[in-house]
């Protein structure tokens, strides 16, 4: 269950896929996601303990935003380091798999069962147990009430 759509060079990912990582650290990327990502894209540390996956055009947009953060701001430096130090360009093999670098697998505690989730302009890769813990969605009514403060009116 999942899908995506593209608008110009910007892309939109959605859906949830369950997969496994093999003993060598390889992960199959769902074909629907590969159609947008292409043969090479960027994987980096994400927030909430997952990994973020960006198509190259989206990664370049994100990099540009990081470049303009003030070097004199300590939080901006940490934020930039967090995303760039762990970033890796990965290539899809003939079987539709990528090799996730060990440092990224360790960060996200990815050992076997994982969930790939399309989240607007990126894909998140989660340890399945963490995904289930973090997505109880019990408090969605409360969260939805506060989204208008962020400019999202439904």
């Amino acid at each position: 269950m999942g899908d995506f759509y593209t608008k110009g060079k910007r892309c939109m990912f959605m859906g949830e896929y369950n997969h496994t990582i093999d003993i060598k650290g390889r992960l199959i990327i769902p074909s629907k996601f590969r159609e947008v990502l292409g043969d090479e894209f960027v994987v980096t540390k994400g927030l909430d303990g997952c990994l973020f996956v960006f198509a190259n055009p989206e990664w370049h947009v994100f990099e540009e935003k990081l470049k303009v953060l003030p070097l004199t701001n300590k939080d901006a430096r940490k934020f930039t380091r967090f995303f760039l130090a762990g970033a890796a360009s990965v290539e899809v093999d003939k079987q539709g798999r990528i090799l996730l670098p060990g440092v990224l697998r360790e960060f996200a505690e990815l050992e076997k069962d994982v969930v790939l989730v399309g989240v607007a302009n990126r894909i998140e890769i989660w340890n399945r147990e963490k995904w289930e813990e973090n997505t109880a969605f019990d408090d969605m009514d409360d969260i939805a009430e506060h989204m208008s403060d962020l400019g999202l009116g439904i």
Side-chain angles (χ1 to χ4, degrees), residues 29 36-37 40 42 56 64 92 107 148-149:
I29 300 298
V36 175
L37 290 169
E40 188 176 342
V42 176
N56 284 328
E64 291 304 314
V92 179
F107 168 80
S148 63
D149 297 342

Side-chain angles (χ1 to χ4, degrees), residues 1-5 12-17 33 117-120 122:
M1 111 175 133
D3 214 343
F4 67 90
Y5 67 85
M12 175 72 115
F13 296 98
M14 57 185 149
E16 178 180 328
Y17 298 87
F33 288 165
V117 184
V119 187
R122 69 181 182 279

Side-chain angles (χ1 to χ4, degrees), residues 21-56:
I21 293 180
D22 70 16
I23 196 81
K24 295 180 180 179
R26 296 175 300 196
L27 171 66
I28 293 174
I29 300 298
S31 61
K32 289 284 188 184
F33 288 165
R34 286 194 318 263
E35 289 175 24
V36 175
L37 290 169
D39 294 332
E40 188 176 342
F41 45 89
V42 176
V43 181
T44 190
K45 293 176 183 173
L47 302 174
D48 302 316
C50 70
L51 300 181
F52 286 174
V53 178
F54 291 97
N56 284 328

